[in-house]
Amino acid sequence: MGSSSSKPEHVWKASAPVGISHDVVESLQSSTETDTSRAQTLELAVQARVAAELRKLEAQESAALREAQSRIEELVPAAGAVEKQEGRETVSKEVEALRARLDRRKQLKPLPDSVDAARGDVVRCLRDNDRRPLDCWREVEAFKDEVRRLEKGWVDKVVS
């Protein structure tokens, strides 16, 4: 452990004489900069450049937005004032129209007698067999068949 140094030693060997001064070689060997520190320095530089570019783009976008808003205000200055005056009345009319449409949608069609009868049979069977609900499987299957028939009729009507 103690015989080898913990810092790797770089030995430069060239096949031909190198024209580098002894001072340059000494400065390279005595440098404390490592690959990690160079990578960190490079990463910080890249992050700074990206941040600067983002600030520049944000400023451009803000300027474009302000310009677009000013153009809109120039084109439609009076419409904003009229809308504010009529806003309450317009909103009330729109709310009433939406309520009317909702009321029209709420109307449900009554179930056919066969589906209603099958549903009644299931309810009656479950009340009669309150401790043994699995005994009502025939009534449940009959109800399912009626619902399938009703759904098939609705799908046929919608598709055709």
Side-chain angles (χ1 to χ4, degrees), residues 4 8 12 14 39 43 45-46 49 59 70 72 78 84 91 94 97 104 112 119 133 141 147 154 156 159:
S4 66
W12 302 92
E43 180 68 25
V46 168
R49 177 88 187 265
S70 66
I72 290 172
K84 288 180 182 176
V91 169
E94 288 179 13
R104 279 184 274 147
R119 181 174 155 257
E141 287 300 320
V147 170
W154 181 81
D156 290 343
V159 171

PDB file of all heavy atoms in Angstrom, residues 4 8 12 14 39 43 45-46 49 59 70 72 78 84 91 94 97 104 112 119 133 141 147 154 156 159:
ATOM      1  N   SER A   4       3.285   2.356  -3.437  1.00  0.00           N
ATOM      2  CA  SER A   4       2.861   3.067  -4.647  1.00  0.00           C
ATOM      3  C   SER A   4       2.123   4.343  -4.246  1.00  0.00           C
ATOM      4  O   SER A   4       1.443   4.385  -3.234  1.00  0.00           O
ATOM      5  CB  SER A   4       1.966   2.174  -5.505  1.00  0.00           C
ATOM      6  OG  SER A   4       0.769   1.912  -4.824  1.00  0.00           O
ATOM      7  N   PRO A   8      -1.930   9.001  -9.839  1.00  0.00           N
ATOM      8  CA  PRO A   8      -1.257   8.380 -10.992  1.00  0.00           C
ATOM      9  C   PRO A   8      -0.221   9.334 -11.581  1.00  0.00           C
ATOM     10  O   PRO A   8      -0.434  10.532 -11.648  1.00  0.00           O
ATOM     11  CB  PRO A   8      -2.397   8.114 -11.969  1.00  0.00           C
ATOM     12  CG  PRO A   8      -3.473   9.065 -11.575  1.00  0.00           C
ATOM     13  CD  PRO A   8      -3.316   9.288 -10.101  1.00  0.00           C
ATOM     14  N   TRP A  12       5.501  10.861 -20.204  1.00  0.00           N
ATOM     15  CA  TRP A  12       5.365  11.146 -21.637  1.00  0.00           C
ATOM     16  C   TRP A  12       6.560  10.561 -22.371  1.00  0.00           C
ATOM     17  O   TRP A  12       7.704  10.915 -22.111  1.00  0.00           O
ATOM     18  CB  TRP A  12       5.318  12.662 -21.874  1.00  0.00           C
ATOM     19  CG  TRP A  12       4.194  13.335 -21.134  1.00  0.00           C
ATOM     20  CD1 TRP A  12       4.233  13.888 -19.917  1.00  0.00           C
ATOM     21  CD2 TRP A  12       2.862  13.468 -21.597  1.00  0.00           C
ATOM     22  NE1 TRP A  12       3.019  14.377 -19.565  1.00  0.00           N
ATOM     23  CE2 TRP A  12       2.130  14.132 -20.595  1.00  0.00           C
ATOM     24  CE3 TRP A  12       2.176  13.094 -22.750  1.00  0.00           C
ATOM     25  CZ2 TRP A  12       0.803  14.445 -20.708  1.00  0.00           C
ATOM     26  CZ3 TRP A  12       0.850  13.403 -22.874  1.00  0.00           C
ATOM     27  CH2 TRP A  12       0.172  14.060 -21.861  1.00  0.00           C
ATOM     28  N   ALA A  14       7.903   9.817 -26.300  1.00  0.00           N
ATOM     29  CA  ALA A  14       7.671  10.078 -27.719  1.00  0.00           C
ATOM     30  C   ALA A  14       8.697   9.307 -28.538  1.00  0.00           C
ATOM     31  O   ALA A  14       9.809   9.046 -28.093  1.00  0.00           O
ATOM     32  CB  ALA A  14       7.792  11.573 -27.994  1.00  0.00           C
ATOM     33  N   ALA A  39     -14.940  18.752 -16.715  1.00  0.00           N
ATOM     34  CA  ALA A  39     -16.318  18.448 -17.103  1.00  0.00           C
ATOM     35  C   ALA A  39     -17.298  19.350 -16.371  1.00  0.00           C
ATOM     36  O   ALA A  39     -18.270  19.833 -16.949  1.00  0.00           O
ATOM     37  CB  ALA A  39     -16.630  16.985 -16.830  1.00  0.00           C
ATOM     38  N   GLU A  43     -19.783  21.978 -18.042  1.00  0.00           N
ATOM     39  CA  GLU A  43     -21.223  21.887 -17.761  1.00  0.00           C
ATOM     40  C   GLU A  43     -21.762  23.224 -17.273  1.00  0.00           C
ATOM     41  O   GLU A  43     -22.832  23.665 -17.687  1.00  0.00           O
ATOM     42  CB  GLU A  43     -21.484  20.793 -16.725  1.00  0.00           C
ATOM     43  CG  GLU A  43     -22.938  20.613 -16.354  1.00  0.00           C
ATOM     44  CD  GLU A  43     -23.787  20.066 -17.485  1.00  0.00           C
ATOM     45  OE1 GLU A  43     -23.244  19.404 -18.380  1.00  0.00           O
ATOM     46  OE2 GLU A  43     -25.005  20.321 -17.473  1.00  0.00           O
ATOM     47  N   ALA A  45     -20.556  26.158 -17.935  1.00  0.00           N
ATOM     48  CA  ALA A  45     -20.553  27.073 -19.077  1.00  0.00           C
ATOM     49  C   ALA A  45     -21.754  26.815 -19.979  1.00  0.00           C
ATOM     50  O   ALA A  45     -22.413  27.753 -20.447  1.00  0.00           O
ATOM     51  CB  ALA A  45     -19.249  26.933 -19.855  1.00  0.00           C
ATOM     52  N   VAL A  46     -22.051  25.555 -20.225  1.00  0.00           N
ATOM     53  CA  VAL A  46     -23.201  25.203 -21.065  1.00  0.00           C
ATOM     54  C   VAL A  46     -24.501  25.660 -20.404  1.00  0.00           C
ATOM     55  O   VAL A  46     -25.379  26.230 -21.059  1.00  0.00           O
ATOM     56  CB  VAL A  46     -23.226  23.676 -21.342  1.00  0.00           C
ATOM     57  CG1 VAL A  46     -24.538  23.251 -21.951  1.00  0.00           C
ATOM     58  CG2 VAL A  46     -22.069  23.293 -22.247  1.00  0.00           C
ATOM     59  N   ARG A  49     -24.906  29.376 -20.765  1.00  0.00           N
ATOM     60  CA  ARG A  49     -25.280  29.744 -22.141  1.00  0.00           C
ATOM     61  C   ARG A  49     -26.750  29.435 -22.400  1.00  0.00           C
ATOM     62  O   ARG A  49     -27.461  30.235 -22.998  1.00  0.00           O
ATOM     63  CB  ARG A  49     -24.386  28.967 -23.119  1.00  0.00           C
ATOM     64  CG  ARG A  49     -24.686  29.174 -24.563  1.00  0.00           C
ATOM     65  CD  ARG A  49     -23.929  30.352 -25.134  1.00  0.00           C
ATOM     66  NE  ARG A  49     -24.337  30.656 -26.477  1.00  0.00           N
ATOM     67  CZ  ARG A  49     -23.728  30.209 -27.568  1.00  0.00           C
ATOM     68  NH1 ARG A  49     -22.661  29.456 -27.447  1.00  0.00           N
ATOM     69  NH2 ARG A  49     -24.173  30.539 -28.753  1.00  0.00           N
ATOM     70  N   ALA A  59     -37.698  37.144 -23.501  1.00  0.00           N
ATOM     71  CA  ALA A  59     -37.870  38.567 -23.786  1.00  0.00           C
ATOM     72  C   ALA A  59     -38.504  38.775 -25.151  1.00  0.00           C
ATOM     73  O   ALA A  59     -39.404  39.618 -25.319  1.00  0.00           O
ATOM     74  CB  ALA A  59     -36.515  39.279 -23.710  1.00  0.00           C
ATOM     75  N   SER A  70     -51.528  44.817 -28.164  1.00  0.00           N
ATOM     76  CA  SER A  70     -51.772  46.207 -28.562  1.00  0.00           C
ATOM     77  C   SER A  70     -52.499  46.269 -29.903  1.00  0.00           C
ATOM     78  O   SER A  70     -53.379  47.103 -30.105  1.00  0.00           O
ATOM     79  CB  SER A  70     -50.467  46.995 -28.616  1.00  0.00           C
ATOM     80  OG  SER A  70     -49.635  46.503 -29.641  1.00  0.00           O
ATOM     81  N   ILE A  72     -54.599  44.021 -31.053  1.00  0.00           N
ATOM     82  CA  ILE A  72     -55.986  43.619 -30.787  1.00  0.00           C
ATOM     83  C   ILE A  72     -56.752  44.784 -30.177  1.00  0.00           C
ATOM     84  O   ILE A  72     -57.899  45.050 -30.557  1.00  0.00           O
ATOM     85  CB  ILE A  72     -56.021  42.382 -29.868  1.00  0.00           C
ATOM     86  CG1 ILE A  72     -55.527  41.148 -30.618  1.00  0.00           C
ATOM     87  CG2 ILE A  72     -57.426  42.149 -29.326  1.00  0.00           C
ATOM     88  CD1 ILE A  72     -55.346  39.925 -29.753  1.00  0.00           C
ATOM     89  N   ALA A  78     -63.842  49.465 -28.998  1.00  0.00           N
ATOM     90  CA  ALA A  78     -65.207  49.725 -28.534  1.00  0.00           C
ATOM     91  C   ALA A  78     -65.928  48.437 -28.156  1.00  0.00           C
ATOM     92  O   ALA A  78     -66.842  48.457 -27.337  1.00  0.00           O
ATOM     93  CB  ALA A  78     -65.990  50.452 -29.609  1.00  0.00           C
ATOM     94  N   LYS A  84     -68.925  44.715 -21.815  1.00  0.00           N
ATOM     95  CA  LYS A  84     -69.005  44.893 -20.372  1.00  0.00           C
ATOM     96  C   LYS A  84     -70.380  45.408 -19.965  1.00  0.00           C
ATOM     97  O   LYS A  84     -70.896  45.039 -18.927  1.00  0.00           O
ATOM     98  CB  LYS A  84     -67.909  45.853 -19.892  1.00  0.00           C
ATOM     99  CG  LYS A  84     -66.528  45.241 -19.929  1.00  0.00           C
ATOM    100  CD  LYS A  84     -65.478  46.204 -19.460  1.00  0.00           C
ATOM    101  CE  LYS A  84     -64.092  45.571 -19.559  1.00  0.00           C
ATOM    102  NZ  LYS A  84     -63.032  46.498 -19.194  1.00  0.00           N
ATOM    103  N   VAL A  91     -75.098  36.964 -20.378  1.00  0.00           N
ATOM    104  CA  VAL A  91     -74.838  35.761 -19.585  1.00  0.00           C
ATOM    105  C   VAL A  91     -76.147  35.153 -19.100  1.00  0.00           C
ATOM    106  O   VAL A  91     -76.324  33.931 -19.127  1.00  0.00           O
ATOM    107  CB  VAL A  91     -73.895  36.093 -18.398  1.00  0.00           C
ATOM    108  CG1 VAL A  91     -73.820  34.945 -17.424  1.00  0.00           C
ATOM    109  CG2 VAL A  91     -72.515  36.450 -18.911  1.00  0.00           C
ATOM    110  N   GLU A  94     -77.703  33.280 -21.977  1.00  0.00           N
ATOM    111  CA  GLU A  94     -76.982  32.039 -22.263  1.00  0.00           C
ATOM    112  C   GLU A  94     -77.284  30.976 -21.204  1.00  0.00           C
ATOM    113  O   GLU A  94     -77.457  29.799 -21.533  1.00  0.00           O
ATOM    114  CB  GLU A  94     -75.479  32.300 -22.309  1.00  0.00           C
ATOM    115  CG  GLU A  94     -75.035  33.057 -23.534  1.00  0.00           C
ATOM    116  CD  GLU A  94     -73.538  33.317 -23.546  1.00  0.00           C
ATOM    117  OE1 GLU A  94     -72.804  32.717 -22.737  1.00  0.00           O
ATOM    118  OE2 GLU A  94     -73.109  34.128 -24.374  1.00  0.00           O
ATOM    119  N   ALA A  97     -80.704  29.552 -21.918  1.00  0.00           N
ATOM    120  CA  ALA A  97     -80.663  28.662 -23.081  1.00  0.00           C
ATOM    121  C   ALA A  97     -80.057  27.311 -22.707  1.00  0.00           C
ATOM    122  O   ALA A  97     -80.557  26.253 -23.119  1.00  0.00           O
ATOM    123  CB  ALA A  97     -79.864  29.303 -24.210  1.00  0.00           C
ATOM    124  N   ARG A 104     -84.438  19.538 -21.779  1.00  0.00           N
ATOM    125  CA  ARG A 104     -84.843  18.664 -22.897  1.00  0.00           C
ATOM    126  C   ARG A 104     -84.102  17.332 -22.838  1.00  0.00           C
ATOM    127  O   ARG A 104     -84.650  16.304 -23.192  1.00  0.00           O
ATOM    128  CB  ARG A 104     -84.559  19.342 -24.228  1.00  0.00           C
ATOM    129  CG  ARG A 104     -85.632  20.336 -24.621  1.00  0.00           C
ATOM    130  CD  ARG A 104     -85.369  20.911 -25.978  1.00  0.00           C
ATOM    131  NE  ARG A 104     -84.464  22.039 -25.766  1.00  0.00           N
ATOM    132  CZ  ARG A 104     -83.526  22.428 -26.617  1.00  0.00           C
ATOM    133  NH1 ARG A 104     -83.342  21.805 -27.734  1.00  0.00           N
ATOM    134  NH2 ARG A 104     -82.769  23.455 -26.350  1.00  0.00           N
ATOM    135  N   PRO A 112     -90.025  -0.371 -21.601  1.00  0.00           N
ATOM    136  CA  PRO A 112     -91.078  -1.247 -22.129  1.00  0.00           C
ATOM    137  C   PRO A 112     -91.610  -2.162 -21.021  1.00  0.00           C
ATOM    138  O   PRO A 112     -90.929  -2.442 -20.030  1.00  0.00           O
ATOM    139  CB  PRO A 112     -90.358  -2.066 -23.213  1.00  0.00           C
ATOM    140  CG  PRO A 112     -89.136  -1.285 -23.561  1.00  0.00           C
ATOM    141  CD  PRO A 112     -88.776  -0.512 -22.340  1.00  0.00           C
ATOM    142  N   ARG A 119     -87.845  -6.868 -14.432  1.00  0.00           N
ATOM    143  CA  ARG A 119     -87.243  -6.198 -13.267  1.00  0.00           C
ATOM    144  C   ARG A 119     -88.079  -6.477 -12.022  1.00  0.00           C
ATOM    145  O   ARG A 119     -87.552  -6.770 -10.944  1.00  0.00           O
ATOM    146  CB  ARG A 119     -87.171  -4.703 -13.540  1.00  0.00           C
ATOM    147  CG  ARG A 119     -86.540  -3.927 -12.428  1.00  0.00           C
ATOM    148  CD  ARG A 119     -86.380  -2.457 -12.852  1.00  0.00           C
ATOM    149  NE  ARG A 119     -86.340  -1.644 -11.679  1.00  0.00           N
ATOM    150  CZ  ARG A 119     -87.332  -0.894 -11.207  1.00  0.00           C
ATOM    151  NH1 ARG A 119     -88.472  -0.834 -11.851  1.00  0.00           N
ATOM    152  NH2 ARG A 119     -87.192  -0.191 -10.117  1.00  0.00           N
ATOM    153  N   PRO A 133     -80.217 -15.378  -2.172  1.00  0.00           N
ATOM    154  CA  PRO A 133     -80.398 -14.608  -3.406  1.00  0.00           C
ATOM    155  C   PRO A 133     -79.927 -15.345  -4.658  1.00  0.00           C
ATOM    156  O   PRO A 133     -80.378 -15.024  -5.751  1.00  0.00           O
ATOM    157  CB  PRO A 133     -79.561 -13.349  -3.170  1.00  0.00           C
ATOM    158  CG  PRO A 133     -78.564 -13.730  -2.140  1.00  0.00           C
ATOM    159  CD  PRO A 133     -79.237 -14.764  -1.286  1.00  0.00           C
ATOM    160  N   GLU A 141     -81.390 -13.847 -15.263  1.00  0.00           N
ATOM    161  CA  GLU A 141     -81.083 -14.135 -16.671  1.00  0.00           C
ATOM    162  C   GLU A 141     -82.188 -13.618 -17.586  1.00  0.00           C
ATOM    163  O   GLU A 141     -81.924 -13.084 -18.661  1.00  0.00           O
ATOM    164  CB  GLU A 141     -80.850 -15.634 -16.882  1.00  0.00           C
ATOM    165  CG  GLU A 141     -79.536 -16.132 -16.314  1.00  0.00           C
ATOM    166  CD  GLU A 141     -78.322 -15.443 -16.923  1.00  0.00           C
ATOM    167  OE1 GLU A 141     -78.301 -15.201 -18.144  1.00  0.00           O
ATOM    168  OE2 GLU A 141     -77.401 -15.131 -16.154  1.00  0.00           O
ATOM    169  N   VAL A 147     -82.974  -6.810 -21.299  1.00  0.00           N
ATOM    170  CA  VAL A 147     -82.124  -5.625 -21.459  1.00  0.00           C
ATOM    171  C   VAL A 147     -81.296  -5.740 -22.731  1.00  0.00           C
ATOM    172  O   VAL A 147     -81.148  -4.770 -23.477  1.00  0.00           O
ATOM    173  CB  VAL A 147     -81.225  -5.429 -20.218  1.00  0.00           C
ATOM    174  CG1 VAL A 147     -80.169  -4.365 -20.464  1.00  0.00           C
ATOM    175  CG2 VAL A 147     -82.064  -5.067 -19.009  1.00  0.00           C
ATOM    176  N   TRP A 154     -82.022  -0.511 -29.699  1.00  0.00           N
ATOM    177  CA  TRP A 154     -81.532   0.878 -29.697  1.00  0.00           C
ATOM    178  C   TRP A 154     -80.331   1.017 -30.634  1.00  0.00           C
ATOM    179  O   TRP A 154     -80.249   1.980 -31.393  1.00  0.00           O
ATOM    180  CB  TRP A 154     -81.154   1.272 -28.269  1.00  0.00           C
ATOM    181  CG  TRP A 154     -80.658   2.688 -28.185  1.00  0.00           C
ATOM    182  CD1 TRP A 154     -81.408   3.812 -28.139  1.00  0.00           C
ATOM    183  CD2 TRP A 154     -79.287   3.093 -28.155  1.00  0.00           C
ATOM    184  NE1 TRP A 154     -80.604   4.899 -28.082  1.00  0.00           N
ATOM    185  CE2 TRP A 154     -79.269   4.501 -28.081  1.00  0.00           C
ATOM    186  CE3 TRP A 154     -78.081   2.422 -28.169  1.00  0.00           C
ATOM    187  CZ2 TRP A 154     -78.124   5.228 -28.037  1.00  0.00           C
ATOM    188  CZ3 TRP A 154     -76.918   3.168 -28.129  1.00  0.00           C
ATOM    189  CH2 TRP A 154     -76.940   4.553 -28.056  1.00  0.00           C
ATOM    190  N   ASP A 156     -79.576  -0.863 -33.238  1.00  0.00           N
ATOM    191  CA  ASP A 156     -80.059  -0.981 -34.607  1.00  0.00           C
ATOM    192  C   ASP A 156     -80.674   0.337 -35.079  1.00  0.00           C
ATOM    193  O   ASP A 156     -80.489   0.756 -36.213  1.00  0.00           O
ATOM    194  CB  ASP A 156     -81.066  -2.125 -34.731  1.00  0.00           C
ATOM    195  CG  ASP A 156     -80.410  -3.489 -34.580  1.00  0.00           C
ATOM    196  OD1 ASP A 156     -79.172  -3.572 -34.705  1.00  0.00           O
ATOM    197  OD2 ASP A 156     -81.135  -4.470 -34.315  1.00  0.00           O
ATOM    198  N   VAL A 159     -77.735   2.920 -35.577  1.00  0.00           N
ATOM    199  CA  VAL A 159     -76.852   2.605 -36.685  1.00  0.00           C
ATOM    200  C   VAL A 159     -77.547   2.797 -38.019  1.00  0.00           C
ATOM    201  O   VAL A 159     -76.959   3.284 -38.981  1.00  0.00           O
ATOM    202  CB  VAL A 159     -76.310   1.160 -36.558  1.00  0.00           C
ATOM    203  CG1 VAL A 159     -75.574   0.735 -37.791  1.00  0.00           C
ATOM    204  CG2 VAL A 159     -75.413   1.051 -35.341  1.00  0.00           C
TER     205      VAL A 159
END
